[in-house]
Amino acid sequence: MPRKSHAMGPTEASVFGLTGLDPAFDLPQVFGQYAVTCKPSVTWDYKNPPIALDSGKVVHVVHSPRSWRGPHGIEVAGGGFIFPKRTNGGDDPMSYEEVRMAFLGYYEKHLKLKLLRSEIAGIRSTASSMGVEDALVDKNVHLNTFLLTVTEAVLPDGYALLAESPELLLALGEVRRLCALCNDRQRAFSPIIHMPLSNKADLIKDHNHWMHGVLPQVVQCCDVADGLLGQLLA
């Protein structure tokens, strides 16, 4: 079917010579049986309702987004798997070298997510330890900063890994934003500790109150991101 910038109407579909299927034929159910037999299973969705033709038949549109969990294998009779690839002529089995490289790519992506999850855990731990007791809020201050090395690398380079979970992208973006705010605040406040100021206690108190308002948000966003990363890695 030619790609178009808008959904085809009944007349347009007929012009392209589409025969269509009997409306009683439940193609999504049949297609779903193939999708779940893939290892790992394939994510997909379909247009509901399908496109109706003037003849009374319908055209089903199925969308399967790009997956970072590939390669996807299909079990064959007698045991074993084949790993299909899309070519100009249809679907062909991948060669041994193509399968090997695909698995290497998968493990590299998987490792990036595990490293990201480890850094998120470190950020959460840092945020939890930076609070100051109320009795010392105008005396003590923690000037720790957050390490975002893996997060900064994975967010732009690993978008394809994370696109399956928009909620995860939002949580990671918020972690990144809040940590950057805290880091900037900490660096700006650091020189004040060494200055002989008469109102230093008030400045320390104000700084700690600001941090106390942001740090729980960091912890909450880290918890959300960790849970979603766990689901993605499962």
Side-chain angles (χ1 to χ4, degrees):
M1 180 187 295
R3 293 185 178 181
K4 297 179 71 65
S5 59
H6 64 281
M8 291 184 184
T11 302
E12 290 177 297
S14 299
V15 168
F16 284 102
L18 297 175
T19 303
L21 298 172
D22 190 311
F25 179 69
D26 193 350
L27 184 134
Q29 181 182 13
V30 175
F31 185 87
Q33 294 174 359
Y34 289 104
V36 297
T37 58
C38 296
K39 303 294 182 183
S41 60
V42 176
T43 300
W44 64 284
D45 198 1
Y46 64 96
K47 177 178 172 57
N48 187 21
I51 300 171
L53 301 181
D54 294 337
S55 64
K57 294 187 176 182
V58 296
V59 174
H60 293 272
V61 180
V62 175
H63 174 235
S64 181
R66 183 170 183 174
S67 170
W68 72 273
R69 297 182 298 165
H72 294 271
I74 300 175
E75 193 168 3
V76 295
F81 289 84
I82 61 170
F83 296 88
K85 65 178 180 180
R86 180 62 57 87
T87 67
N88 292 335
D91 290 337
D92 292 326
M94 297 170 66
S95 66
Y96 170 83
E97 185 64 19
E98 288 172 328
V99 173
R100 188 179 74 86
M101 293 304 295
F103 273 111
L104 286 175
Y106 167 79
Y107 287 119
E108 179 184 358
K109 295 169 186 174
H110 203 263
L111 177 60
K112 286 182 178 180
L113 290 183
K114 294 181 78 171
L115 289 173
L116 177 59
R117 193 179 188 189
S118 177
E119 182 167 272
I120 292 297
I123 291 171
R124 189 195 188 286
S125 177
T126 299
S128 299
S129 66
M130 287 171 64
V132 177
E133 297 177 9
D134 290 342
L136 303 173
V137 73
D138 60 345
K139 299 178 180 65
N140 291 355
V141 62
H142 295 296
L143 294 176
N144 310 62
T145 55
F146 295 102
L147 294 177
L148 294 165
T149 308
V150 177
T151 306
E152 294 286 0
V154 172
L155 276 179
D157 295 339
Y159 178 81
L161 301 148
L162 306 170
E164 294 184 17
S165 178
E167 297 87 354
L168 175 57
L169 280 174
L170 287 174
L172 291 172
E174 191 65 4
V175 169
R176 184 187 188 190
R177 183 186 72 83
L178 292 172
C179 288
L181 283 176
C182 289
N183 287 348
D184 290 343
R185 184 90 177 195
Q186 296 284 70
R187 294 186 185 107
F189 188 77
S190 180
I192 294 176
I193 296 298
H194 307 289
M195 295 180 182
L197 302 173
S198 60
N199 64 336
K200 184 183 292 186
D202 291 334
L203 295 175
I204 292 175
K205 184 176 181 179
D206 290 342
H207 179 76
N208 282 329
H209 281 167
W210 188 90
M211 295 296 292
H212 288 175
V214 176
L215 293 176
Q217 298 179 51
V218 176
V219 171
Q220 182 181 14
C221 289
C222 285
D223 286 341
V224 172
D226 180 72
L228 294 170
L229 277 168
Q231 293 176 20
L232 200 57
L233 285 166

